Each structure stands twice: as structure tokens, then as C-alpha cells.
Amino acid sequence: PLSSILLQPPAPAARFGAQYSIAAMGGGNAQKTAMSRAKNLAKAKAEAAGGGGAKGIEKRSAAMDLKCSVCMQCFPNTQIKAAQAHVESKHPKNDFNSCFPMAASIAK
């Protein structure tokens, strides 16, 4: 039986490449899916670790030293500009030195 199959001429569809084109395409999106999954896993690990690296450690561990004496709102000691904006928007009648006396020497 095997020898009779090999001696038969190819089917009409196979002569025009219809049969061979399906077999040649193959593969699908397995490679794209695997790469996407690996990239998403690496991204999730980076976000779960807290991120920032060594450069941002000072900002992440900044003490909440700036405290408004009017409303007791706290700010990290690295956020002088945010404290100045707070004074301008929340306490327009007061100046920065009266709201944040501990940062009077730092402010302009």
C-alpha cells in the first residue's frame, strides 16, 4: 500500500500550492504570546518591588517635617514648593513663615 501512494500523481489542489501553503504558514502567535507574557511578568515584578531604585530612596523615606501651623497639614521635608502652594491656595492671608516657621530659612 505504501508504494502505491508514492506512485500516485498529486491531487489537483496540491499542484497549485493550496495544500502546501497551509503547511508552510504554521506557527501562529505562540512566540508573540510568550514574549508578551514574559514582558508583563517582568513589569509586574518591578511594580511589586516598589520601584525607584537607589536614586529615589531619599524621597521615599522623607520625613513629614513640614507641618502647617494653621491647619496642621503635613508635607514631606522635600516638598517645599508644595508647602508654598498650600499657603497660597489655602491661607492667602498668611505668609509662608507664619504657616511653616520650621522652614522659614529654607524658603525664598
Side-chain angles (χ1 to χ4, degrees):
L2 184 61
S3 61
S4 65
I5 294 173
L6 294 176
L7 296 176
Q8 292 178 356
R15 281 187 226 147
F16 297 106
Q19 183 180 9
Y20 298 112
S21 66
I22 294 172
M25 289 176 73
N29 289 326
Q31 182 68 23
K32 288 181 188 177
T33 304
M35 289 297 292
S36 178
R37 189 173 293 126
K39 188 166 60 168
N40 290 338
L41 181 65
K43 190 181 203 182
K45 279 185 183 178
E47 289 175 359
K55 289 183 179 178
I57 196 164
E58 180 185 331
K59 290 184 179 181
R60 289 192 306 275
S61 62
M64 300 290 272
D65 289 341
L66 299 177
K67 187 174 187 180
C68 179
S69 59
V70 177
C71 67
M72 302 304 167
Q73 171 77 39
C74 292
F75 294 90
N77 56 6
T78 57
Q79 301 264 332
I80 298 291
K81 289 184 179 180
Q84 289 172 340
H86 168 80
V87 172
E88 291 172 6
S89 65
K90 301 292 182 181
H91 313 295
K93 294 180 182 176
N94 299 351
D95 63 339
F96 184 78
N97 294 338
S98 64
C99 287
F100 296 96
M102 72 289 300
S105 62
I106 300 171
K108 48 181 173 170

